[in-house]
């Protein structure tokens, strides 16, 4: 991307002026989740060999890390029972943020870009050019909420960077594209088999700090940078680029 | 079940004295979720023909029905943005019961039986004989919580009773075993193919009242009774019984 | 106020361009609460004759009216007791809005005026010209919060309009200044005795609908209008105006 | 109190068997708050000399200490404004425990005594012999709730133990009755003037650790012990005892 583009945009050295336009049409609220087609589902079923189920989430509990300002309260209003029967039950009440609590998945309405003056909500743009002023309400998002993400059922590709390097990655450490490619080679996965709609999982080992470095867990993390993000993006569009 | 059994039990005309003992061992917290074995997963993949994904849940929103005493509050503490970048984000805060809010699935720790005097928590028994006094804390269940239910990936069998009868079932209407069997016949499913670990879905049409009869939604519902429950239970144990 | 003023202001037919400037100085966050001086406290003690204590608030409970979108949940995580002693205790957890829940008192940071374009938080002005962009945070107000209101201890003047009219006022009914003056006469209170720092209470009877017309309670209410508000304002500044 | 009494009681070396009986009658839910009579209010007004208002509470904010297991979340669902006017407003949502959050006052329903077997709620007794099984509901206390405490307006007596000792008291340090009496002497307050219905305030200086030793604030505190509590109790009953 040229400097001129960045300047004309004024928002970011990376984003193009039309960054928010979706390949899925003006009204789309699902983004690349659309890549999980029926064909993709059928394809994924062929990959299931051992039948082992692996949960990707951490349980919600009071010991989990909290991003700054977050709260998590689970309370049990315990002890009630029916007047006419011997059935008893437990209820529970929860009060918490959803984002950065436990294992989370961003909705398309989570992150946006301030393209105008500070505080001008009509110029705060999200996926597909949605304006904050139109999608936000005090009682929930009117557009781009998580309800638009359908269940994912697709091939998952694990990039075991922790395994590759033989160590938990450092906080702030950026994973190079060469690392991801080395993972594929080490794990015997041919790059050409990666196709649009696949889900990628990058194992950094940061999760191992969940209970042991709880207070500092959200201070920073290892992860991919712009180089890898561009590569993933090109894969999602079915492009093959030399060197990524 | 004989009257003697009921008397010796003193709790219920249906439950036997050892009702709480699990077939999965004294320490089990997963119940018949254990039937979702690796083999069951492999078996289920063979059934996927069209690749269509159907969500079984209703979205959480402020218009949904509430069981008495429940609360649901989603609030958007909106408008923050980073000091050093042009990235903006939406957060959200939720305060609500979990049970009887939206589409729910009971954990094994939800329902139990008062087997002793009122208020005696040491005689309030749950699955596998767990005592309320040992499993409960004000900050969440120490045993039988939802974290013990692993993801379900298995064959699902829909009993389309609404389709069979050509109408939404009445509130309080009990589905007969003959209805379920008629559903199988109508849908071309051989009863012998039902096996332990299958998930069953009984379509009553009550869900169609979600937004139209919101205030009375939890006053009552159609559903299965003891007859059908016993049949499902025998299927889960791999038993075939005449007349059920 | 002239039409020209209204035009030049563009915000309201009532507010002057400098509406937000406080008589208490640029940094003040307490407003006319400052009128409750030490002298006012001493003065108020002279008025106490019977020693009767009257609470002005309604209790918080699940039956109270709710303004649209509000939630109120009080839950008792009951049953814990100390491991080493026989002391037991009840805790409680609350999740709720503060505003329009139960009996409320507005902080100066509650209501403001949109003086610029929609969504421009730098032009959303509050008491003393505070900008929303500077006083707001997702975790509470940084300025004009309720913590700036000190306890009120002052003379209270009840305008018993319900008693005057012999009926509960209608929803939407505006109280005339003549009504307030008739209350004073009927109750034997000389207008000249009202002085800056006095608290006024206008009894409309709307509170009698609290539990009987709960669902519609917030649809509207009787109350004072601009005429009475201007009179109260002049009294707070120690002005005497003919006809108010 | 004799050992025999303690034994026959079995609950506590201090409590007598009839500890829960109130001097205010079987149905009372207000306790010694009843001592704030009309006469007491009139009496208190005579003591007001300077008119200074002093708030006894700490503001609620996210930096305050938390007893173990407590949560406090204040969130601002900010930015809404009316469609037809230029009025804007701030709302706020709070989710928190009430007890041990900020400056608290116990209701009579907070602390009780387990007089029977563990878990037997019919033998968990509170003020005036109220049983937990009868007063508790998952949605709030049916008896002995804070709504029974009326506003206090009475003489307050400060025991400035911090001033007496010239230091903040240590965590766990018990204040001796002699200390309280020395405070009276130092402050020029005649013990004979203390009468039933007076409120007492014991200044330990522990509050100075609020923001500086936040994490350990609830680990322990200085305060009065049994000796002083008995003295206060005798004063509340209008008794004068030699040596307390």
């Amino acid at each position: 991307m040229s400097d001129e583009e960045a300047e004309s945009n004024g928002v970011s050295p990376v984003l193009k002026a039309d960054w928010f336009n979706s390949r899925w049409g003006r009204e789309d609220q699902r983004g690349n989740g659309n890549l999980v087609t029926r064909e993709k589902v059928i394809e994924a079923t062929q990959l299931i060999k051992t039948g082992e189920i692996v949960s990707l989430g951490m349980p919600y509990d009071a010991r989990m890390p909290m991003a700054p300002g977050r709260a998590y309260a689970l309370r049990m209003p315990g002890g009630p029972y029916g007047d006419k029967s011997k059935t008893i039950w437990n209820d529970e009440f929860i009060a918490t943020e959803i984002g950065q609590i436990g294992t989370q998945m961003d909705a398309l309405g989570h992150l946006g870009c301030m393209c105008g003056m500070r505080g001008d909500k009509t110029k705060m743009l999200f996926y597909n050019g949605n304006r904050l002023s139109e999608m936000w309400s005090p009682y929930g998002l009117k557009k781009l909420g998580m309800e638009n993400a359908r269940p994912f059922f697709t091939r998952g590709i694990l990039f075991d960077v922790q395994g590759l390097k033989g160590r938990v990655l450092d906080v702030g450490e950026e994973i190079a594209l060469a690392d991801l490619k080395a993972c594929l080679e080490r794990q015997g996965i041919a790059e050409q088999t990666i196709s649009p709609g696949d889900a990628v999982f990058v194992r950094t080992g940061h999760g191992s700090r969940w209970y042991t470095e709880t207070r500092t867990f959200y201070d920073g993390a290892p992860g991919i940078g712009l180089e890898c993000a561009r590569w993933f993006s090109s894969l999602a569009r079915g492009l093959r680029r030399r060197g990524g």
Side-chain angles (χ1 to χ4, degrees), chain A:
Chain A
M1 183 181 165
S2 69
D3 279 5
E4 288 85 331
E5 280 176 317
E7 195 130 327
S8 73
N9 181 287
V11 167
S12 148
V14 174
L15 296 176
K16 294 184 187 169
D18 67 344
W19 62 268
F20 48 76
N21 284 338
S22 164
R23 59 192 278 203
W24 303 104
R26 277 298 291 133
E27 298 306 313
D28 180 66
Q29 300 192 52
R30 197 178 169 216
N32 278 355
N34 286 300
L35 291 169
V36 181
T37 59
R38 294 187 178 202
E39 294 69 33
K40 204 72 195 170
V41 170
I42 301 292
E43 188 189 314
T45 62
Q46 317 302 324
L47 302 171
I48 300 173
K49 304 297 181 205
T50 68
E52 186 178 10
I53 291 173
V54 178
S55 174
L56 295 175
M58 298 292 281
Y60 290 75
D61 63 39
R63 298 175 302 135
M64 66 188 167
M66 294 279 186
R70 296 294 187 285
Y72 173 79
L74 174 66
R75 299 291 182 271
M76 304 286 295
Y81 44 79
D83 279 336
K84 292 166 191 158
S85 81
K86 301 212 165 189
T87 299
I88 52 171
W89 62 86
N90 285 303
D91 285 341
E92 58 288 285
F93 191 88
I94 195 168
T96 184
E97 262 87 14
I98 302 174
Q100 277 90 50
I101 289 286
T103 312
Q104 80 148 43
M105 188 172 72
D106 267 14
L108 288 172
H110 181 48
L111 286 179
C113 185
M114 182 165 49
C115 300
M117 301 284 286
R118 292 215 149 221
D120 183 352
K121 288 185 168 185
T122 64
K123 299 279 174 53
M124 294 182 179
L125 301 185
F126 287 72
Y127 173 74
N128 236 341
N130 286 289
R131 301 160 192 274
L132 184 64
S133 53
E134 289 165 358
M135 56 189 270
W136 191 92
S137 93
Y139 305 114
L141 292 183
K142 290 178 284 186
K143 297 183 83 171
L144 303 187
M146 186 49 93
E147 66 277 12
N148 298 292
R150 293 212 298 247
F152 290 84
F153 188 103
T154 190
R155 182 191 186 198
I157 300 167
L158 175 72
F159 292 86
D160 184 4
V161 188
Q162 178 181 9
L164 175 75
K165 296 186 182 270
R167 60 175 174 84
V168 170
L169 273 64
D170 295 330
V171 169
E173 183 174 355
E174 182 180 335
I175 296 165
L177 178 53
D179 293 330
L180 296 185
K181 298 211 170 194
C183 286
L184 291 181
E185 189 171 340
R186 179 171 173 272
Q187 298 168 226
I189 302 169
E191 183 180 332
Q192 299 92 293
T193 67
I194 306 179
S195 69
D198 289 348
V200 294
F201 301 94
V202 180
R203 184 179 183 224
T204 64
H206 190 61
S208 68
R209 301 182 173 114
W210 192 259
Y211 289 126
T212 57
E213 301 176 38
T214 307
R215 287 217 175 130
T216 55
F217 188 85
Y218 281 105
D219 290 355
I224 66 167
L226 207 47
E227 183 192 28
C228 293
R230 282 181 165 140
W231 184 59
F232 283 145
S233 175
S234 70
L235 292 174
R237 280 174 285 132
L239 305 178
R240 301 271 161 235
R241 305 197 307 184
R242 220 184 325 258

